[in-house]
Amino acid sequence: MKTFYPKDLTTQEFHGLLQGAVAPRPIAFASTIDRDGNVNLSPFSFFNLFSTNPAILIFSPSRRVRDNTTKHTLENVLEVPEVVIHVVHFGMVEQMSLASTEYKKGVNEFDKAGFTQVKSNEVKPPRIKEAHVAFECKVNEVKSLGDSGGAGNLVICEVLVAHVNEAVLDEMGVIDPRKLDAVARLGGNWYSRASGASLFQIPKPLRTLGIGIDQMPAEVRNSTILSGNNLGRLGNVEALPSPAEVADFGQSAEIQEMRVRFQYDLDSLVDHLHLLAKEALDEDDVDRAWLILLQKG
């Protein structure tokens, strides 16, 4: 493990380390307007959701590391405290990247990046027609975190209205991540795409409280076969199977064959039981995994 102290690195070096490590980060594709009516569109990956009631989004247009200048977005929200924040999907990511070009003030990135402006319902800045999700917001506060290059400026936004393309909703009216196809930011030139094999589900912790890893039998807890993720899933059960259930499962042909095959090698039996349990976990069958793991030699 290599240890870094901010004081030992340049701001640019530590900036790169932070962006590479704190990832992926959602992207606020922010549309703003200045007091003269000039529209600006720019992406920011220092962004997230912080409250539901009130609905608060916060993004941070940092001061530029190289020369300590501020971005047009920051200047605009100080003049006109309104913003439309769009969620970036894969079908628009190259255009979004183009919009991050440092064009001169007064240049409309909607035009440069080829996006269609749509009049917003509640705020002055326009929204992007091609975006699947857009939040019209009023800016409640802009909090400066410093006056040096790299210092952030927290733009605290309250959502007034949300626009969602019905094409990304499932049959229950909930946003389907597979349809949203969201994009997130990593370090350097890297992005990530929330689709395909990168999407997975994990059952939420039980309200009735899972047993936890500390309450597992030692040979399961200290398994050389099961991963930390496997143990985490196994710990999210309210109780272990009863001795009767374990004994009944032990009469299955698969377990009986394994007992005969490894009757003189208990360690191999345990390893193969754990491998079989791991297969069950890969199939999301936690109950079966526990019935396998609680078999004795």
Side-chain angles (χ1 to χ4, degrees):
M1 180 69 72
K2 190 171 184 178
T3 301
F4 298 90
Y5 290 88
K7 65 181 178 61
D8 296 331
L9 301 176
T10 66
T11 300
Q12 189 166 2
E13 288 171 338
F14 202 64
H15 179 75
L17 186 152
L18 289 170
Q19 289 191 319
V22 184
R25 301 182 305 280
I27 302 167
F29 201 9
S31 169
T32 58
I33 195 168
D34 68 13
R35 63 167 65 95
D36 297 321
N38 295 306
V39 172
N40 182 266
L41 181 64
S42 187
F44 299 92
S45 67
F46 291 0
F47 164 64
N48 221 308
L49 166 68
F50 289 86
S51 173
T52 301
N53 186 21
I56 299 294
L57 306 175
I58 300 178
F59 73 98
S60 178
S62 300
R63 302 179 74 92
R64 293 185 179 90
V65 173
R66 67 173 184 276
D67 59 9
N68 197 23
T69 56
T70 57
K71 299 180 180 180
H72 297 147
T73 299
L74 176 61
E75 297 163 6
N76 286 359
V77 296
L78 291 172
E79 293 181 5
V80 180
E82 298 177 343
V83 60
V84 182
I85 296 176
H86 307 84
V87 174
V88 178
H89 61 79
F90 186 74
M92 64 192 297
V93 66
E94 294 278 3
Q95 290 172 276
M96 176 221 68
S97 178
L98 180 59
S100 69
T101 304
E102 293 181 12
Y103 295 112
K104 293 180 179 180
K105 187 173 178 62
V107 173
N108 188 336
E109 288 83 3
F110 273 86
D111 296 333
K112 287 292 186 181
F115 288 117
T116 307
Q117 289 187 194
V118 176
K119 183 176 173 56
S120 295
N121 291 23
E122 302 294 333
V123 299
K124 295 181 181 68
R127 58 188 178 88
I128 302 170
K129 180 180 180 180
E130 293 80 5
H132 291 327
V133 180
F135 299 102
E136 296 184 24
C137 306
K138 67 175 181 178
V139 175
N140 289 347
E141 180 184 355
V142 178
K143 183 175 179 57
S144 171
L145 301 180
D147 54 12
S148 301
N153 295 276
L154 303 185
V155 182
I156 302 172
C157 310
E158 183 174 345
V159 178
L160 302 178
V161 60
H163 303 275
V164 181
N165 186 338
E166 290 182 291
V168 303
L169 302 177
D170 64 15
E171 62 277 3
M172 302 298 292
V174 176
I175 291 176
D176 184 334
R178 294 164 297 187
K179 296 178 179 179
L180 182 61
D181 201 7
V183 170
R185 195 74 169 87
L186 290 86
N189 293 333
W190 290 97
Y191 290 80
S192 65
R193 183 180 182 182
S195 65
S198 67
L199 293 174
F200 57 93
Q201 298 185 64
I202 299 176
K204 291 186 181 298
L206 297 175
R207 291 183 180 272
T208 50
L209 306 183
I211 62 170
I213 294 173
D214 61 325
Q215 296 301 307
M216 295 179 185
E219 69 179 29
V220 175
R221 190 171 64 247
N222 299 320
S223 173
T224 60
I225 305 295
L226 301 172
S227 68
N229 282 335
N230 292 149
L231 295 178
R233 180 64 63 90
L234 289 166
N236 192 35
V237 295
E238 188 174 357
L240 297 179
S242 69
E245 291 172 319
V246 174
D248 184 60
F249 185 83
Q251 299 306 307
S252 66
E254 184 176 32
I255 298 299
Q256 288 296 318
E257 185 279 331
M258 199 175 287
R259 287 186 189 282
V260 172
R261 186 160 33 119
F262 299 108
Q263 59 183 314
Y264 302 116
D265 189 349
L266 181 58
D267 289 341
S268 290
L269 174 59
V270 171
D271 284 350
H272 279 76
L273 286 170
H274 286 204
L275 286 168
L276 188 60
K278 191 177 182 73
E279 291 179 7
L281 290 171
D282 289 341
E283 297 171 357
D284 290 328
D285 195 342
V286 180
D287 293 338
R288 183 168 182 270
W290 267 120
L291 289 170
I292 295 167
L293 290 169
L294 294 176
Q295 300 301 313
K296 302 296 182 183

